[in-house]
Amino acid sequence: MEKNTLWAIILSTIVLVGFMTAQTILFPNSFKQPAHSTSQTSQSTAAEAAESAEEDGVLPVLAESSEESAEENLTEETYTITTNKVKVTFTNRGGDVIGYELLEHKDTETGKGVEMADNISATNRAFSLSLGKASGSIVNDIFNARVIDDYTIGFFRNFTVTNSDGSKGTFTLVKTYSFKPDDYVFKLDVTVDGGEGFSRLNVGDAAYTLRTSPQIGPHFDRKVDRYENRTFVSYNGEKAKKIILGTNQYKTYEKPWNWAGLGGKYFIILTNPANPSAMAQSVGYSSQTEVNDYANAQVFMTRLPVDGEKTTDSYYVYVGPRSEKELKKYNVAANNSWGLESKHYNESLQTSGILNWLETILKFVMELLYKIIPNWGVSIIILTAILKFAMFPLTAKSAKGTLKMQQLSPRMQEVQAKYKDNPQKMQQETAKLYKEIGYNPMTGCLPLLFQFVILWAMYNLFNNYFEFRGASFIPGWIPDLSRGDNVKTLSFSLPLLGNHIRLLPVIYVISQLLFGKITGNGGTTAASANQGQMKMMMYGMPLIFFFIFYNAPAGLLLYWTVSNVIQLGQQLVINKTMKAKIAAEIPAKSVKSAKSGKKHR
C-alpha cells in the first residue's frame, strides 16, 4: 500500500472517530441506542470500507460528515406524512423511515393499521442507506430536513470523501420522498451531488446500498403461522422468481432483476429502480435475527459507483396489499397516479404454478358469485356445489365401478385363492373379470385426480386470496375466512392444536368418516391387503388431516367440508339407485360365463 494512501486512511479515520465521538457527547439520547453506538457504527463503516477496498485492489474512499458545515448542532426529530392510504413517520437520522402504517388495513392483534416498517432498531431502519455494499453499517448521521409540501419531504447532509490521490472532495447526499394521496407507491430520489474536489463515490466497488424495512407486518411467528411465510420476490422483465426465506441467513440472488422485494401472505414491499442498469446485478435478502429474537425479512439493493458532479437515482416503491386488484394498476399508466406502466407487479402474487389457469377461472366464478351475494363464505359454498355437480357424472361412474367390485368380491376371492401361487395367471383372470362386468380401474382414479387438482388450486387461492382477509362468514364463529374458525380461546395451548377450539375441522372429519363408512358398506368385501389400505385411507387419513389442517384458513376448510357433505349425499343417491341394478347385472353375466365355460369343455 502507498504511503499517501496509508496516511489518508489514518487521517480520515481519526477525523471520523473524532467527529462521531463529539456527536455522541452532545446527543446522548440518539434514537434508542447507547451514547457510544453512533461512534461504533461509523468506525465500522470506515473499517469495512477500507478492508473491502483493499481486498478488491481498489484505493479506499471513505466518507465522513463535512467539518465545514454547521450540521453538528442538529438534533434528531421526527416528521409525518399522511395520505389517504398510509401514515409514514420519518427520522432525520439518516433520513430514514421508522413507521409505515397502512390506514385501510387493520392489524387484528393491535387494532391499528398494518405496520410495514416493523422490527426497526438503532442500526436498521426502513429505506436507509449504507455507503458501499450491504455489509456496511447504515448512515447514522443527523440530516437537515425540508418539508416541501404535504406529500413531499427531503433530507440532506454534506459529506467529505478522500479521493484516490489523497485529496479531499465534498458531496451532498439527498433523500427525497414523494407520495400521492391515493397511491400505494411512493418515489424515493437518492441524489449524490458532487461539490469541490469530488470525483466519484466508490466504496468497495459500490456507491451505496438501499435496504427495505427490516420486517413487514402483521407480526409473523414462524412457529405458529404455519400457513404463512416471508418470500423474496424479483422480476427480470419476463418472469418472476420467488424464494421462501429460511431461518437466520443472508443470501444473494445473482441474476438480473428489474424490481425486487419482500412479501408476506397479504402484504408486500417492492422496490423498482427507474434505471435498473445502474444497480448491481446481485440483490441480497436477509432473515437474520437482530432484535428480540424476531427474524428480519429484508432486501438489499446495491448501486454501482457514482461518477460525475451530480447523480439522481429514482426508486418507485410499492408498500401495500399483495392484492391483484392493486398490483395490476401499474400495468396501465392511466390506472395509477405515477403513470407507471408494464411493471407487472402482479407477478409477485402467490400462485399454484402450472395450475394458475385453473385458479384464475375459480377466482373469476367466485367473484361473479360475490357480486350477486356479497358474502365470501356463501360464494365458496355455491362454487363448491357447482364443482361437485359438474363432476357428478365422473363421480357416478367411479361409484358404479366401486359397487360392481363389491358385488364381484366373492369371485375375486376365488381367483386370488386359486392362483395365489401364479401371480401372472391371477392378473389375467382378474383382467377377465374386469372386462366381464365392464369395469375400468382408471375410472375410479379420474375423479380423485380431478378433485386433487381442484383442491390444490383451491388451497393456494384460499390461503393467499387477499379479499378473504377479514371477510366474515358467520360472526362469532367464522369472522375471518383467512384464519381458522374460533369457538373459544384457551389460556393455554394444546399440543399440535394451539389455544383455539375450532368446530370446522371437527365437522370436516365427521363428514369424511361418514363418507368412508357409506362407501365401505356397499357389500361384503374381501379382507385383502389392498382393502386394508383403502380402509386406512378412508378412516386414518381424515384423522391425520385433522391435525394437519386444524389451523388452516376457514375458507379452505369450508370448501372441503361442504364438498364432503355434497359428495356424501351424492353417494347415498348412487347407492340407492344403482345397487339393485348392478346386483342384477353381475349374476346374469356370471351365468352366461358359466354356460360358455361348459360348452368349451
Side-chain angles (χ1 to χ4, degrees), residues 516-528:
K517 185 72 173 176
I518 289 173
T519 55
N521 283 345
T524 305
T525 59
S528 64

Side-chain angles (χ1 to χ4, degrees), residues 85-86 88 90 97 100 102 116 126-129 175-180 183-190 210-213 216 257-262 268-274 279 299 301 313-321 327 330 336 338 340 343 345:
K85 301 286 187 181
V86 301
V88 186
F90 304 87
V97 172
Y100 206 112
L102 302 181
M116 296 296 284
F127 308 109
S128 58
L129 300 177
K175 297 171 71 177
T176 306
Y177 298 85
S178 303
F179 294 82
K180 299 288 187 181
D183 211 299
Y184 283 111
V185 166
F186 74 86
K187 183 162 74 96
L188 170 60
D189 292 316
V190 178
L210 172 67
R211 63 183 67 191
T212 62
S213 175
I216 63 175
W257 56 281
N258 287 2
W259 51 254
L262 198 290
I268 196 167
I269 294 178
L270 299 175
T271 303
N272 182 191
M279 309 301 292
V299 173
M301 293 147 287
D313 300 315
S314 295
Y315 301 87
Y316 292 95
V317 186
Y318 177 91
V319 184
L327 293 168
Y330 305 96
N336 64 87
W338 293 103
L340 299 174
K343 293 303 179 182
Y345 294 158

Side-chain angles (χ1 to χ4, degrees), residues 238-309:
E238 296 181 356
K239 62 180 181 179
K241 179 69 174 178
K242 303 180 184 73
I243 303 173
I244 297 176
L245 270 62
T247 56
N248 202 24
Q249 60 183 204
Y250 180 93
K251 288 194 173 183
T252 303
Y253 181 67
E254 300 286 353
K255 296 182 180 180
W257 56 281
N258 287 2
W259 51 254
L262 198 290
K265 183 191 289 189
Y266 297 118
F267 299 96
I268 196 167
I269 294 178
L270 299 175
T271 303
N272 182 191
N275 181 19
S277 62
M279 309 301 292
Q281 176 172 298
S282 63
V283 56
Y285 55 95
S286 170
S287 61
Q288 293 176 328
T289 301
E290 295 179 341
V291 181
N292 298 329
D293 295 326
Y294 187 31
N296 289 341
Q298 191 169 27
V299 173
F300 299 78
M301 293 147 287
T302 300
R303 209 288 186 195
L304 297 174
V306 169
D307 296 307
E309 294 183 357

Side-chain angles (χ1 to χ4, degrees), residues 120-133:
I120 299 294
S121 70
T123 57
N124 197 358
R125 297 184 289 269
F127 308 109
S128 58
L129 300 177
S130 56
L131 296 178
K133 296 181 179 179

Side-chain angles (χ1 to χ4, degrees), residues 66-74:
S66 174
E67 295 178 282
E68 298 176 0
S69 70
E71 292 168 335
E72 289 79 0
N73 295 321
L74 293 172

Side-chain angles (χ1 to χ4, degrees), residues 412-421 426:
M412 286 290 294
Q413 291 182 55
E414 290 177 8
V415 170
Q416 291 169 359
K418 186 174 181 180
Y419 301 106
K420 62 181 179 180
D421 297 324
M426 182 190 296

